[in-house]
Amino acid sequence: MKGETGKIWTLHLAVIAALFAAQFLLPQYHATNLARIMVLAVYAMGYNIAFGYTGLLSLGHALFFAAGMYAMGLPIWQLEWLPVPALILGLVAGGVMAGAVGLLALRTAGVSFMIVTLMFAQAGYLTLLYLNTWTGGDEGFVVERAYRMIGGVDLAADTPRYLAALGLFSAGMLGCLWLVRSPFGRVMVAMRENEERSRMLGFNPFRVKLIALVISGLYAGVAGAAYGLLFGYVGATFATIQYSILPMLYVLMGGAGTVLGPFLGALAMFYLIDIASGFTDAWLFVVGAALVALILFAPKGILGTLRERGLKWLP
Amino acid sequence: MAALMEARGLHRHFGGLRAVDGVDFRLEQGEIHALIGPNGAGKTTFVSLLSGRLPVQSGSITLAGEDITRLPAHARVKKGVAYTFQITSVYPRLSVFDNVALAAQSAGARDLAPAVAAALARVNLTGLDREMAGNLSYGHQRLLEVAMGLALQPRVLILDEPTQGLAAGEIEGFKALVRSLVPQTTVLLIEHNMDVVMDLATRITVLNFGQVLATGTPAEIRANPAVQEAYLGGHDD
Amino acid sequence: MSFGPFLLLALLEGTVMAAVLALTAVGLSLVFGVMRVVNVAHGEFFMLGAVGAWFITYYLPLPPGLAWLVALIIAPLVVGAIAALADVTILKRLKYDPEATIVATIGLLYILQQAALTFYGPDARPVEPPFSLRLQFPWFGYSGYKLFVVAAAGAILLAVWLFMTRTKAGLVMRATQVDMETARAFGINVDRVYAGTFALGAALAAAAAVLIVPIQQAHYLMGHDPLLLSFIVVIIGGLGSIRGTLIAALLIGLSDGVISMFFSPTLAKIIATLLVAMVLVFRPQGLFGARA
């Protein structure tokens, strides 16, 4: 057991170190991509906590992502808040929204849960459009560079942006690692594997799933807030169904229920689309075909398959 | 003597079927109480009411004098009523350690490793903690199920058909295990194997058509003509 | 225009909407009822029907009315064939696992959308109505074609009902819906029933689209709204219940027509989506379904 713990920490710290080094080695175009991927990976990690570990297949996470993004952006845009409190508000908004949705949606399960979360997210998206005088509607709004300074550091500049994304990513990944190796992480997995059995071990399924969903919402919220802040744009696109599908795709690709899977999936999917758009504009097809192929031939994803083929210790 | 667990006038109907039809029942502290009856007599429905897996339609259930009739199942487990499933229901894709650790942490164990090791030692599964539960033999999975029940440190342990599918040699070990649980833990046993019942039980309750036909010591039950007619007599099970 | 005629116009628009919606939603409901599959790509089958109708009427050297009639028959057949293919190559391999099929049909949605974008293009294109007849009310004129749409949708639904209740194939479908295992035990080829049901569901969506395309134009993203509205209708009507679906389609279609006329359509959609979520949470058997 001790040896494995060492291996696990070494692997994850090595990933962080490699990502730190990458900014010096990669051309700027790829470094910026990587910053994007790291923030999206935080979103996908949150999705993975609900779907991969607890078995909650949601189609409405864009609501939590957008809640975080708008809770960060609107106070800056309308009330001239500073970025740090705005970012914290984004984090909280994701969690609160997930809690509110969970209180209702977790009364259902399976297919009903998917549709209920989808409907809530759709209502959220439409609300953003409906309140367009406040939210900027379809067009969204730009977060001005002047409002993206933290203590004199300009988050719009390449290096600080990369480091901020890496910092968030590292915190998210280590937090996730700690969570899934904690006793509560074990209970989340137990819920996924067999809810009735877990109930008869004294765990309240509703409570466990609600907590997992709120944690998942916190990840989505802070990712949405960071995405808006680092890349300077807040828009209703991020609340559409596509942004609920993307983290699911990343997680399925990288491996549901693995700590590094969401990052790996985001990386692979991002570049798959990027490369495909080099010779075709059919990126929708790439997404669709990837979804179908994964669910048909590799439902465990990259790391899930590796774990099955020998790397049993992979968390 | 005060009852540890008591049920009064329990009813549970499914449409026209009266699965449990006005059952009064007392479980004394420290006994091994067997619940027997023909198939469809309502045994599993009855213990589902006790454990909270099914809601009670009318009647009441108390645990050490406290009314638990409306408590959900998971809250009853926390109060000390543990249920082991009739069909083996371990987590096949988790390790043996994780299976038992889930029970131990539910019971509030601070240090999981020794608690898990102790539970596994009692059912003689020491050393298997790294195995996937789904890779264990059927008999070992049943023992793991019992270990999970033990790790909950329950006041009442409900065992639903625990010897089903066990080999003859395994049954002897199982009987010794159950005897070692009392009197700290009170055992309620649903069992088809009459040898096991007569050997283990201090008292027996016979259910038939959702009602209590008789309650008493093994000797009294054996001598009861109504029981012989309804259940023991004629065919063997 | 005063309030009375205005309301009449709203009701007429609502009826057209309800008729097309009923056709689309019954297709979704059928697939869910028989196969327990939530088909997220249903809206794309609708879109394919409309796009197919454009291709047929554009390239077929026939008078517009006749070409459209050909489209009404050919487009649903083609779309049904595509759906059957998707069933056999994808859904069947997933053993119809509910959650996996949702993910797979999301993938299918993107693939079909991309196919339409690539081969048809990003523009919205009109299809000529088969006839132009204008009915003159005292207050306003109204398209006779729209009323024809209502009649045609009603006729198709009647045909579906007759098919389900009076033919052997319909009986086999209903038997499979009640109990797939028993149906298989009685020698019913369940695989073929499923492929046929999925094809029929898609064909109904396509037929609805061919009916509506002379009013609405064909566009590769047009499947989104029918999908959402069909979901709403099927859930409020009670999952898998055809009768509930019809009642809900009438209700939603009419109220959507009326509400959109007087309020913001976005607000109407917000209310409808929240209503659906609440129905699923608190009354999962639907508003018109009997309590299980």
Side-chain angles (χ1 to χ4, degrees):
Chain A
M1 295 284 260
K2 284 280 181 288
E4 281 191 0
T5 305
K7 250 196 291 194
I8 289 167
W9 284 102
T10 310
L11 171 69
H12 290 82
L13 292 174
V15 169
I16 293 173
L19 283 170
F20 180 78
Q23 62 177 318
F24 306 113
L25 305 173
L26 291 176
Q28 191 52 50
Y29 170 72
H30 291 290
T32 308
N33 279 350
L34 211 49
R36 252 179 230 281
I37 290 168
M38 284 190 284
V39 178
L40 289 174
V42 172
Y43 179 26
M45 278 182 221
Y47 190 83
N48 193 28
I49 287 170
F51 166 57
Y53 287 100
T54 321
L56 297 170
L57 188 39
S58 142
L59 290 180
H61 262 57
L63 181 62
F64 314 146
F65 189 74
M69 184 179 264
Y70 278 87
M72 177 282 301
L74 285 177
I76 291 182
W77 191 42
Q78 304 271 13
L79 307 169
E80 310 204 345
W81 276 32
L82 291 172
V84 172
L87 202 62
I88 292 171
L89 190 66
L91 170 84
V92 173
V96 169
M97 191 61 96
V101 168
L103 279 176
L104 289 166
L106 286 172
R107 292 158 171 265
T108 65
V111 169
S112 293
F113 180 78
M114 297 170 85
I115 299 175
V116 170
T117 49
L118 175 70
M119 289 297 159
F120 276 125
Q122 186 67 19
Y125 166 66
L126 292 168
T127 306
L128 284 177
L129 297 186
Y130 185 66
L131 301 175
N132 59 354
T133 45
W134 279 39
T135 61
D138 224 358
E139 312 233 310
F141 54 91
V142 169
V143 183
E144 298 291 343
R145 195 160 187 161
Y147 294 106
R148 292 158 65 194
M149 308 281 285
I150 296 182
V153 178
D154 181 4
L155 289 179
D158 289 328
T159 306
R161 172 161 65 195
Y162 189 90
L163 289 176
L166 179 61
L168 180 70
F169 172 76
S170 308
M173 187 180 74
L174 296 178
C176 179
L177 188 59
W178 174 79
L179 174 71
V180 303
R181 288 165 58 80
S182 73
F184 185 73
R186 190 182 283 126
V187 179
M188 289 177 1
V189 172
M191 278 305 154
R192 176 191 76 195
E193 293 290 313
N194 188 340
E195 183 172 325
E196 179 60 11
R197 186 70 186 95
S198 309
R199 197 159 70 98
M200 296 316 289
L201 285 177
F203 301 108
N204 180 346
F206 186 81
R207 185 164 162 273
V208 172
K209 290 192 280 187
L210 187 62
I211 294 172
L213 195 63
V214 168
I215 297 173
S216 176
L218 289 169
Y219 270 77
V222 78
Y227 202 88
L229 194 63
L230 295 181
F231 301 101
Y233 171 70
V234 171
T237 344
F238 296 107
T240 53
I241 167 89
Q242 270 95 328
Y243 272 82
S244 294
I245 305 293
L246 276 182
M248 177 170 82
L249 188 56
Y250 298 157
V251 168
L252 279 174
M253 182 118 200
T258 64
V259 173
L260 283 172
F263 170 70
L264 216 57
L267 186 71
M269 215 49 234
F270 194 95
Y271 274 98
L272 201 60
I273 293 173
D274 192 63
I275 293 166
S277 54
F279 52 87
T280 156
D281 56 358
W283 74 273
L284 283 174
F285 178 81
V286 177
V287 171
L291 270 177
V292 172
L294 281 169
I295 201 80
L296 269 181
F297 303 113
K300 298 209 163 91
I302 301 170
L303 288 182
T305 308
L306 276 181
R307 178 154 64 185
E308 228 168 43
R309 304 265 165 90
L311 294 180
K312 268 191 184 169
W313 51 274
L314 215 58
Chain B
M1 190 174 165
L4 177 58
M5 199 171 193
E6 187 164 14
R8 283 214 190 96
L10 282 194
H11 284 268
R12 177 74 209 195
H13 299 176
F14 299 102
L17 174 72
R18 300 173 166 201
V20 171
D21 193 20
V23 169
D24 292 316
F25 178 80
R26 277 169 72 91
L27 195 59
E28 310 291 347
Q29 171 69 47
E31 67 174 337
I32 299 176
H33 196 131
L35 194 61
I36 63 172
N39 279 332
K43 297 175 306 249
T44 292
T45 306
F46 175 66
V47 295
S48 295
L49 296 176
L50 289 186
S51 63
R53 299 184 68 205
L54 283 175
V56 169
Q57 278 164 339
S58 68
S60 70
I61 303 167
T62 56
L63 180 70
E66 184 192 350
D67 188 342
I68 59 166
T69 315
R70 301 276 158 235
L71 276 191
H74 52 83
R76 291 189 206 190
V77 177
K78 291 277 192 212
K79 294 235 177 239
V81 183
Y83 174 82
T84 69
F85 284 72
Q86 180 175 12
I87 302 155
T88 302
S89 178
V90 298
Y91 302 96
R93 301 201 298 172
L94 300 188
S95 69
V96 169
F97 178 89
D98 281 339
N99 270 276
V100 183
L102 279 162
Q105 71 187 63
S106 175
R110 281 279 165 82
D111 215 345
L112 289 180
V116 171
L120 287 177
R122 286 190 82 169
V123 298
N124 275 325
L125 289 181
T126 302
L128 292 176
D129 50 347
R130 308 264 298 162
E131 285 295 319
M132 285 290 138
N135 293 343
L136 295 183
S137 71
Y138 183 76
H140 281 173
Q141 289 192 18
R142 300 242 51 163
L143 290 174
L144 174 58
E145 177 92 35
V146 175
M148 290 162 78
L150 293 181
L152 283 172
Q153 306 207 309
R155 295 155 86 179
V156 178
L157 180 60
I158 302 173
L159 297 166
D160 198 346
E161 307 259 0
T163 64
Q164 198 177 47
L166 291 193
E170 290 172 320
I171 289 180
E172 279 313 309
F174 177 78
K175 283 199 287 195
L177 170 64
V178 172
R179 275 197 201 96
S180 74
L181 300 180
V182 289
Q184 294 88 350
T185 306
T186 305
V187 176
L188 175 59
L189 181 71
I190 299 184
E191 186 55 69
H192 265 139
N193 185 330
M194 275 310 130
D195 295 335
V196 172
V197 170
M198 292 302 168
D199 222 21
L200 271 182
T202 41
R203 284 201 306 149
I204 298 174
T205 293
V206 187
L207 283 187
N208 199 18
F209 297 117
Q211 294 178 326
V212 175
L213 193 64
T215 299
T217 63
E220 286 166 358
I221 293 301
R222 234 193 290 257
N224 187 318
V227 174
Q228 282 176 357
E229 190 184 335
Y231 183 50
L232 295 174
H235 64 97
D236 47 22
D237 211 304
Chain C
M1 207 156 57
S2 61
F3 181 77
F6 203 58
L7 186 66
L8 176 65
L9 183 61
L11 283 176
L12 279 171
E13 289 289 306
T15 311
V16 177
M17 168 97 178
V20 176
L21 187 54
L23 212 49
T24 317
V26 162
L28 190 69
S29 181
L30 213 58
V31 168
F32 182 82
V34 176
M35 308 165 68
R36 300 277 129 186
V37 164
V38 177
N39 177 18
V40 184
H42 195 65
E44 305 319 306
F45 291 135
F46 180 92
M47 177 273 290
L48 284 184
V51 168
W54 181 85
F55 272 109
I56 291 167
T57 51
Y58 189 78
Y59 286 106
L60 217 57
L62 287 174
L66 210 55
W68 180 86
L69 208 60
V70 172
L72 184 60
I73 293 159
I74 299 294
L77 284 178
V78 172
V79 172
I82 294 173
L85 189 70
D87 173 75
V88 173
T89 54
I90 301 172
L91 302 184
K92 189 180 152 199
R93 282 155 162 271
L94 295 173
K95 302 194 171 65
Y96 302 99
D97 173 79
E99 295 188 347
T101 49
I102 292 192
V103 175
T105 53
I106 291 172
L108 194 59
L109 173 153
Y110 284 122
I111 293 173
L112 294 178
Q113 236 171 48
Q114 183 67 58
L117 180 61
T118 304
F119 297 110
Y120 173 77
D123 306 323
R125 300 177 204 194
V127 169
E128 192 107 331
F131 60 89
S132 53
L133 172 74
R134 204 153 174 82
L135 295 179
Q136 196 53 49
F137 288 85
W139 316 276
F140 54 80
Y142 199 72
S143 154
Y145 176 72
K146 285 188 178 176
L147 295 180
F148 168 76
V149 167
V150 176
I156 296 174
L157 284 173
L158 187 68
V160 170
W161 182 74
L162 287 175
F163 168 77
M164 291 294 286
T165 51
R166 300 288 156 84
T167 67
K168 183 151 177 289
L171 177 72
V172 165
M173 263 170 79
R174 283 186 295 139
T176 313
Q177 165 161 12
V178 173
D179 188 342
M180 189 262 271
E181 290 302 328
T182 313
R184 202 191 286 279
F186 274 92
I188 290 175
N189 185 340
V190 172
D191 289 346
R192 228 164 64 194
V193 174
Y194 276 19
T197 305
F198 204 61
L200 178 61
L204 285 173
V210 179
L211 287 176
I212 203 71
V213 76
I215 304 169
Q216 225 189 29
Q217 302 200 336
H219 184 250
Y220 83 105
L221 290 177
M222 73 188 297
H224 191 255
D225 273 3
L227 174 69
L228 192 69
L229 284 169
S230 304
F231 259 85
I232 293 171
V233 163
V234 169
I235 288 162
I236 288 183
L239 283 170
S241 146
I242 303 285
R243 190 187 325 167
T245 302
L246 286 177
I247 301 172
L250 204 63
L251 191 79
I252 297 287
L254 278 178
S255 55
D256 192 83
V258 174
I259 292 172
S260 305
M261 193 74 75
F262 296 102
F263 300 98
S264 141
T266 313
L267 186 61
K269 273 191 213 158
I270 294 174
I271 293 169
T273 44
L274 287 179
L275 179 67
V276 166
M278 293 304 165
V279 166
L280 270 178
V281 170
F282 293 108
R283 224 189 124 80
Q285 73 277 24
L287 288 184
F288 308 112
R291 196 167 272 277

